[in-house]
Short mmCIF file of all heavy atoms in Angstrom, two decimals:
data_model
loop_
_atom_site.label_atom_id
_atom_site.label_comp_id
_atom_site.label_asym_id
_atom_site.label_seq_id
_atom_site.Cartn_x
_atom_site.Cartn_y
_atom_site.Cartn_z
N GLY A 227 5.06 0.87 -85.55
CA GLY A 227 4.15 1.66 -86.37
C GLY A 227 2.79 1.00 -86.53
O GLY A 227 1.90 1.56 -87.17
N LYS A 228 2.64 -0.17 -85.96
CA LYS A 228 1.35 -0.88 -86.02
C LYS A 228 0.68 -0.83 -84.66
O LYS A 228 1.25 -0.37 -83.67
CB LYS A 228 1.58 -2.33 -86.45
CG LYS A 228 2.21 -2.48 -87.82
CD LYS A 228 2.41 -3.95 -88.16
CE LYS A 228 3.07 -4.10 -89.52
NZ LYS A 228 3.30 -5.54 -89.86
N ARG A 229 -0.55 -1.31 -84.61
CA ARG A 229 -1.30 -1.34 -83.35
C ARG A 229 -1.75 -2.76 -83.05
O ARG A 229 -2.01 -3.54 -83.98
CB ARG A 229 -2.51 -0.39 -83.39
CG ARG A 229 -2.10 1.07 -83.50
CD ARG A 229 -3.27 2.02 -83.43
NE ARG A 229 -2.81 3.41 -83.43
CZ ARG A 229 -2.48 4.07 -82.33
NH1 ARG A 229 -2.60 3.47 -81.14
NH2 ARG A 229 -2.06 5.32 -82.40
N ASP A 230 -1.87 -3.08 -81.76
CA ASP A 230 -2.33 -4.41 -81.39
C ASP A 230 -3.84 -4.46 -81.43
O ASP A 230 -4.50 -3.50 -81.86
CB ASP A 230 -1.79 -4.81 -80.01
CG ASP A 230 -2.30 -3.90 -78.89
OD1 ASP A 230 -3.29 -3.17 -79.10
OD2 ASP A 230 -1.71 -3.93 -77.79
N ARG A 231 -4.42 -5.58 -80.98
CA ARG A 231 -5.87 -5.76 -81.07
C ARG A 231 -6.65 -4.76 -80.24
O ARG A 231 -7.82 -4.52 -80.48
CB ARG A 231 -6.22 -7.18 -80.64
CG ARG A 231 -5.70 -8.26 -81.59
CD ARG A 231 -6.05 -9.64 -81.09
NE ARG A 231 -5.55 -10.68 -82.00
CZ ARG A 231 -5.67 -11.97 -81.77
NH1 ARG A 231 -6.28 -12.41 -80.69
NH2 ARG A 231 -5.19 -12.84 -82.65
N ARG A 232 -6.00 -4.21 -79.21
CA ARG A 232 -6.67 -3.23 -78.37
C ARG A 232 -6.46 -1.80 -78.85
O ARG A 232 -6.88 -0.85 -78.20
CB ARG A 232 -6.17 -3.35 -76.93
CG ARG A 232 -6.47 -4.71 -76.30
CD ARG A 232 -5.97 -4.75 -74.86
NE ARG A 232 -6.22 -6.05 -74.25
CZ ARG A 232 -5.86 -6.38 -73.01
NH1 ARG A 232 -5.25 -5.47 -72.24
NH2 ARG A 232 -6.12 -7.58 -72.54
N GLY A 233 -5.76 -1.67 -79.98
CA GLY A 233 -5.53 -0.35 -80.54
C GLY A 233 -4.31 0.36 -79.99
O GLY A 233 -4.05 1.52 -80.33
N ARG A 234 -3.54 -0.31 -79.14
CA ARG A 234 -2.35 0.31 -78.58
C ARG A 234 -1.19 0.22 -79.57
O ARG A 234 -1.12 -0.73 -80.35
CB ARG A 234 -1.96 -0.39 -77.27
CG ARG A 234 -3.02 -0.33 -76.19
CD ARG A 234 -2.60 -1.21 -75.00
NE ARG A 234 -2.37 -2.58 -75.41
CZ ARG A 234 -2.06 -3.56 -74.56
NH1 ARG A 234 -1.90 -3.30 -73.28
NH2 ARG A 234 -1.88 -4.80 -75.01
N PRO A 235 -0.26 1.17 -79.51
CA PRO A 235 0.92 1.07 -80.39
C PRO A 235 1.67 -0.22 -80.09
O PRO A 235 1.90 -0.56 -78.92
CB PRO A 235 1.74 2.31 -80.01
CG PRO A 235 0.75 3.26 -79.42
CD PRO A 235 -0.28 2.42 -78.72
N LEU A 236 2.04 -0.94 -81.13
CA LEU A 236 2.72 -2.23 -80.96
C LEU A 236 4.21 -1.99 -80.81
O LEU A 236 4.87 -1.46 -81.70
CB LEU A 236 2.45 -3.14 -82.16
CG LEU A 236 3.05 -4.55 -82.08
CD1 LEU A 236 2.47 -5.30 -80.89
CD2 LEU A 236 2.78 -5.31 -83.37
N LYS A 237 4.75 -2.40 -79.65
CA LYS A 237 6.18 -2.27 -79.38
C LYS A 237 6.80 -3.65 -79.26
O LYS A 237 6.19 -4.58 -78.73
CB LYS A 237 6.42 -1.49 -78.09
CG LYS A 237 5.93 -0.05 -78.13
CD LYS A 237 6.24 0.67 -76.83
CE LYS A 237 5.77 2.12 -76.88
NZ LYS A 237 6.07 2.83 -75.61
N ILE A 238 8.02 -3.79 -79.78
CA ILE A 238 8.74 -5.06 -79.73
C ILE A 238 10.03 -4.85 -78.95
O ILE A 238 10.78 -3.91 -79.21
CB ILE A 238 9.07 -5.58 -81.14
CG1 ILE A 238 7.79 -5.94 -81.89
CG2 ILE A 238 9.98 -6.79 -81.06
CD1 ILE A 238 8.04 -6.44 -83.29
N THR A 239 10.24 -5.75 -77.97
CA THR A 239 11.51 -5.76 -77.25
C THR A 239 12.32 -6.94 -77.75
O THR A 239 11.88 -8.09 -77.68
CB THR A 239 11.29 -5.87 -75.74
OG1 THR A 239 10.52 -4.74 -75.29
CG2 THR A 239 12.62 -5.88 -75.00
N SER A 240 13.50 -6.67 -78.27
CA SER A 240 14.39 -7.71 -78.79
C SER A 240 15.59 -7.86 -77.86
O SER A 240 16.24 -6.86 -77.52
CB SER A 240 14.87 -7.37 -80.21
OG SER A 240 13.78 -7.29 -81.10
N VAL A 241 15.87 -9.10 -77.46
CA VAL A 241 16.97 -9.38 -76.55
C VAL A 241 17.89 -10.38 -77.23
O VAL A 241 17.44 -11.41 -77.74
CB VAL A 241 16.46 -9.97 -75.22
CG1 VAL A 241 17.63 -10.22 -74.26
CG2 VAL A 241 15.42 -9.05 -74.58
N ALA A 242 19.17 -10.07 -77.27
CA ALA A 242 20.16 -11.01 -77.80
C ALA A 242 20.87 -11.65 -76.63
O ALA A 242 21.36 -10.95 -75.72
CB ALA A 242 21.16 -10.30 -78.71
N ILE A 243 20.91 -13.02 -76.61
CA ILE A 243 21.59 -13.74 -75.53
C ILE A 243 22.65 -14.65 -76.14
O ILE A 243 22.54 -15.07 -77.30
CB ILE A 243 20.61 -14.56 -74.67
CG1 ILE A 243 19.91 -15.63 -75.52
CG2 ILE A 243 19.59 -13.66 -73.99
CD1 ILE A 243 19.02 -16.58 -74.72
N SER A 244 23.66 -14.99 -75.33
CA SER A 244 24.73 -15.85 -75.84
C SER A 244 25.24 -16.73 -74.71
O SER A 244 25.27 -16.31 -73.54
CB SER A 244 25.88 -15.02 -76.41
OG SER A 244 26.96 -15.85 -76.79
N ASP A 245 25.64 -17.97 -75.07
CA ASP A 245 26.27 -18.87 -74.11
C ASP A 245 27.74 -19.08 -74.43
O ASP A 245 28.39 -19.98 -73.90
CB ASP A 245 25.54 -20.21 -74.07
CG ASP A 245 25.65 -20.98 -75.38
OD1 ASP A 245 26.14 -20.40 -76.37
OD2 ASP A 245 25.24 -22.15 -75.41
N GLY A 246 28.28 -18.27 -75.33
CA GLY A 246 29.67 -18.39 -75.73
C GLY A 246 29.87 -19.23 -76.97
O GLY A 246 30.93 -19.16 -77.60
N THR A 247 28.84 -20.04 -77.34
CA THR A 247 28.95 -20.85 -78.56
C THR A 247 28.19 -20.21 -79.71
O THR A 247 28.54 -20.40 -80.87
CB THR A 247 28.40 -22.27 -78.34
OG1 THR A 247 26.98 -22.20 -78.11
CG2 THR A 247 29.06 -22.93 -77.15
N ASP A 248 27.11 -19.47 -79.38
CA ASP A 248 26.28 -18.90 -80.45
C ASP A 248 25.37 -17.86 -79.82
O ASP A 248 25.38 -17.64 -78.59
CB ASP A 248 25.45 -20.00 -81.12
CG ASP A 248 25.15 -19.67 -82.59
OD1 ASP A 248 25.15 -18.48 -82.94
OD2 ASP A 248 24.91 -20.62 -83.36
N THR A 249 24.56 -17.22 -80.67
CA THR A 249 23.64 -16.18 -80.22
C THR A 249 22.21 -16.58 -80.55
O THR A 249 21.94 -17.18 -81.60
CB THR A 249 23.97 -14.83 -80.89
OG1 THR A 249 25.30 -14.45 -80.53
CG2 THR A 249 23.00 -13.74 -80.43
N LEU A 250 21.28 -16.24 -79.66
CA LEU A 250 19.86 -16.50 -79.85
C LEU A 250 19.11 -15.22 -79.53
O LEU A 250 19.51 -14.45 -78.64
CB LEU A 250 19.40 -17.63 -78.92
CG LEU A 250 17.92 -18.02 -78.96
CD1 LEU A 250 17.56 -18.65 -80.30
CD2 LEU A 250 17.61 -19.00 -77.82
N HIS A 251 18.02 -14.98 -80.25
CA HIS A 251 17.24 -13.76 -80.04
C HIS A 251 15.94 -14.09 -79.33
O HIS A 251 15.30 -15.11 -79.60
CB HIS A 251 16.95 -13.07 -81.38
CG HIS A 251 18.19 -12.55 -82.04
ND1 HIS A 251 18.67 -11.27 -81.85
CD2 HIS A 251 19.07 -13.15 -82.88
CE1 HIS A 251 19.78 -11.10 -82.54
NE2 HIS A 251 20.05 -12.23 -83.19
N LEU A 252 15.56 -13.22 -78.41
CA LEU A 252 14.29 -13.33 -77.70
C LEU A 252 13.39 -12.18 -78.14
O LEU A 252 13.87 -11.04 -78.27
CB LEU A 252 14.49 -13.27 -76.18
CG LEU A 252 15.63 -14.11 -75.59
CD1 LEU A 252 15.71 -13.87 -74.08
CD2 LEU A 252 15.44 -15.58 -75.90
N THR A 253 12.11 -12.47 -78.37
CA THR A 253 11.19 -11.44 -78.84
C THR A 253 10.00 -11.34 -77.89
O THR A 253 9.35 -12.35 -77.59
CB THR A 253 10.69 -11.75 -80.26
OG1 THR A 253 11.82 -11.84 -81.14
CG2 THR A 253 9.74 -10.67 -80.75
N PHE A 254 9.72 -10.11 -77.43
CA PHE A 254 8.59 -9.86 -76.53
C PHE A 254 7.75 -8.73 -77.13
O PHE A 254 8.29 -7.73 -77.62
CB PHE A 254 9.07 -9.44 -75.14
CG PHE A 254 9.94 -10.46 -74.45
CD1 PHE A 254 11.32 -10.45 -74.64
CD2 PHE A 254 9.39 -11.41 -73.61
CE1 PHE A 254 12.13 -11.38 -74.00
CE2 PHE A 254 10.19 -12.34 -72.97
CZ PHE A 254 11.56 -12.33 -73.15
N PHE A 255 6.43 -8.87 -77.11
CA PHE A 255 5.53 -7.85 -77.63
C PHE A 255 4.87 -7.10 -76.48
O PHE A 255 4.33 -7.72 -75.55
CB PHE A 255 4.45 -8.47 -78.52
CG PHE A 255 5.00 -9.13 -79.76
CD1 PHE A 255 5.21 -10.50 -79.79
CD2 PHE A 255 5.33 -8.39 -80.88
CE1 PHE A 255 5.71 -11.12 -80.92
CE2 PHE A 255 5.84 -9.00 -82.01
CZ PHE A 255 6.04 -10.37 -82.03
N ASN A 256 4.90 -5.75 -76.56
CA ASN A 256 4.25 -4.89 -75.56
C ASN A 256 4.54 -5.36 -74.14
O ASN A 256 3.64 -5.59 -73.33
CB ASN A 256 2.74 -4.84 -75.80
CG ASN A 256 2.39 -3.89 -76.93
OD1 ASN A 256 3.27 -3.25 -77.51
ND2 ASN A 256 1.11 -3.79 -77.26
N SER A 257 5.82 -5.53 -73.84
CA SER A 257 6.24 -5.98 -72.50
C SER A 257 7.34 -5.05 -71.99
O SER A 257 8.50 -5.44 -71.86
CB SER A 257 6.75 -7.42 -72.57
OG SER A 257 5.77 -8.29 -73.12
N PRO A 258 7.01 -3.80 -71.68
CA PRO A 258 8.04 -2.82 -71.31
C PRO A 258 8.80 -3.18 -70.03
O PRO A 258 9.94 -2.76 -69.85
CB PRO A 258 7.25 -1.52 -71.13
CG PRO A 258 5.84 -1.97 -70.85
CD PRO A 258 5.66 -3.21 -71.65
N TRP A 259 8.16 -3.96 -69.13
CA TRP A 259 8.82 -4.32 -67.88
C TRP A 259 10.03 -5.25 -68.08
O TRP A 259 10.84 -5.43 -67.17
CB TRP A 259 7.82 -5.00 -66.95
CG TRP A 259 7.28 -6.29 -67.50
CD1 TRP A 259 7.82 -7.53 -67.38
CD2 TRP A 259 6.11 -6.44 -68.28
NE1 TRP A 259 7.05 -8.45 -68.04
CE2 TRP A 259 5.99 -7.81 -68.61
CE3 TRP A 259 5.12 -5.55 -68.75
CZ2 TRP A 259 4.94 -8.30 -69.38
CZ3 TRP A 259 4.07 -6.06 -69.50
CH2 TRP A 259 3.99 -7.42 -69.81
N ILE A 260 10.13 -5.83 -69.27
CA ILE A 260 11.24 -6.75 -69.54
C ILE A 260 12.58 -6.06 -69.30
O ILE A 260 13.53 -6.66 -68.79
CB ILE A 260 11.15 -7.27 -70.99
CG1 ILE A 260 9.91 -8.15 -71.17
CG2 ILE A 260 12.41 -8.04 -71.37
CD1 ILE A 260 9.93 -9.42 -70.37
N THR A 261 12.65 -4.79 -69.63
CA THR A 261 13.94 -4.08 -69.50
C THR A 261 14.33 -3.89 -68.04
O THR A 261 15.49 -3.59 -67.74
CB THR A 261 13.86 -2.71 -70.20
OG1 THR A 261 12.76 -1.96 -69.64
CG2 THR A 261 13.66 -2.88 -71.69
#
C-alpha cells in the first residue's frame, strides 16, 4: 500500500527457508523475478 522513491507501488516478496533445524525468512523489495 506504500510507494517507493520512484513512486511505484511497493511490493515485498517473503521467502521462508529451512535447513531442518530452524526457519529463516528472506525479504526482497520490488523484485518480482525472485519467484
Side-chain angles (χ1 to χ4, degrees):
K228 299 180 181 179
R229 294 185 176 273
D230 63 16
R231 293 179 180 177
R232 298 182 182 178
R234 299 173 302 183
L236 183 61
K237 296 181 179 181
I238 295 179
T239 300
S240 298
V241 182
I243 61 174
S244 175
D245 65 351
T247 66
D248 209 336
T249 299
L250 178 67
H251 294 269
L252 315 178
T253 301
F254 301 89
F255 296 98
N256 281 358
S257 304
W259 62 87
I260 294 295
T261 56

